[in-house]
Amino acid sequence: MGERIRRMSAREVESLLRRHNFVLVSQKGSHRKWRDAAKGLQVVVPMHRGRDLPIGTLRNILITAEIPEHEWKS
């Protein structure tokens, strides 16, 4: 049986993105745009304080950012 996706807040996701060389490039309302120029990758993280990101949104962000699965699955 596969591992489950660990629930994460936007702050936790942003911390993970920083550790993988992503830089905050802009913000519009509650959505922050992160970019890794070396790999040519970009993701948008919705900032809704006090709430975990929906599993589908979280999975899409982390797969698009090419974050290794062992860092976000439990």
Side-chain angles (χ1 to χ4, degrees):
M1 183 152 247
E3 295 180 31
R4 296 181 66 123
I5 296 175
R6 179 171 49 101
R7 299 301 304 243
M8 298 174 83
S9 68
R11 284 189 183 272
E12 291 172 306
V13 171
E14 289 185 343
S15 176
L16 189 57
L17 290 171
R18 273 191 211 94
R19 287 198 310 266
H20 286 273
N21 302 317
F22 279 78
V23 179
L24 179 64
V25 292
S26 69
Q27 179 172 347
K28 185 170 185 178
S30 63
H31 291 76
R32 292 178 163 191
K33 188 183 297 182
W34 292 81
R35 187 174 294 149
D36 180 344
K39 293 182 183 176
L41 302 173
Q42 177 175 293
V43 294
V44 176
V45 179
M47 289 293 295
H48 302 291
R49 294 195 192 277
R51 290 192 281 171
D52 288 340
L53 292 174
I55 292 294
T57 303
L58 176 61
R59 185 175 187 281
N60 186 289
I61 291 168
L62 298 172
I63 288 174
T64 302
E66 298 179 357
I67 306 292
E69 285 189 13
H70 72 272
E71 293 194 41
W72 49 276
K73 285 194 171 182
S74 57

